Amino acid sequence: MYPVLKVCETKGFYAGLFQERAAGEVRKSLVLLFGSSAALIALFWGALGSELTVLSAVLAWGLGDETAALVGKRFGRHKIGWRLADGKKSWEGSAGMLCVSFLAVLLSLVTGRVPFSAALVAALLSAVAGTVTEAVTKKGYDTVTVPWVNAVVIWAVLAVQTL
């Protein structure tokens, strides 16, 4: 995809497809996404044998981040004023991410036959951790940071649950 996008960037139609904050943002995001996803799969699914961790973490990030963007752009009136926050994030967008991430993790784990109590704890902790991480991650690197934070939290809860 990288070379195709690089060529497409020189064409007039490309600018209408994406809203890039900086030139090459889509290419950079794809490289980060594919590289991070491959590493998540290799570690959590391959080495640790926890495919539900990867599935839940990626669903929480993907659905939650998109919800945060859509809700934040449409309804975001109150910017997060934390010193570490990316000044563009809103409380409304973060609330959307929190809710959708929570539901994505809960449903994916329960469907994967994880006991409800463990799924509930994993969903709550990962949704909060992922949402906070998304709020403080700058320059689009939440593509990497949020799935990893979600995966670590979900894996830890599932590991404790099996003890």
Side-chain angles (χ1 to χ4, degrees):
M1 284 302 294
Y2 190 90
V4 171
L5 287 173
K6 183 73 173 162
V7 170
C8 288
E9 286 176 353
T10 64
K11 309 299 179 197
F13 71 90
Y14 183 83
L17 295 176
F18 303 104
Q19 286 189 323
E20 292 187 310
R21 292 171 284 209
E25 180 185 15
V26 171
R27 281 184 290 119
K28 179 185 101 177
S29 292
L30 284 175
V31 168
L32 291 172
L33 174 63
F34 291 140
S36 182
S37 296
L40 276 169
I41 291 167
L43 176 62
F44 290 100
W45 192 336
L48 299 173
S50 183
E51 64 273 8
L52 276 174
T53 295
V54 175
L55 173 69
S56 299
V58 171
L59 281 173
W61 162 74
L63 297 173
D65 191 46
E66 190 58 35
T67 300
L70 293 172
V71 170
K73 285 183 193 295
R74 175 73 172 98
F75 302 105
R77 304 282 184 267
H78 305 91
K79 298 297 180 195
I80 298 173
W82 302 341
R83 186 172 48 89
L84 294 175
D86 174 338
K88 301 171 188 166
K89 309 291 171 84
S90 71
W91 285 106
E92 294 84 357
S94 291
M97 179 171 183
L98 181 75
C99 294
V100 170
S101 295
F102 172 79
L103 289 173
V105 173
L106 183 65
L107 293 174
S108 62
L109 292 179
V110 168
T111 304
R113 303 197 197 302
V114 171
F116 184 79
S117 59
L120 188 63
V121 170
L124 180 60
L125 293 178
S126 66
V128 170
T131 300
V132 169
T133 300
E134 196 267 343
V136 300
T137 302
K138 298 177 181 168
K139 298 183 181 177
Y141 287 105
D142 57 333
T143 303
V144 175
T145 59
V146 175
W148 277 94
V149 165
N150 285 338
V152 167
V153 170
I154 293 164
W155 180 81
V157 170
L158 295 182
V160 167
Q161 182 262 328
T162 59
L163 292 178

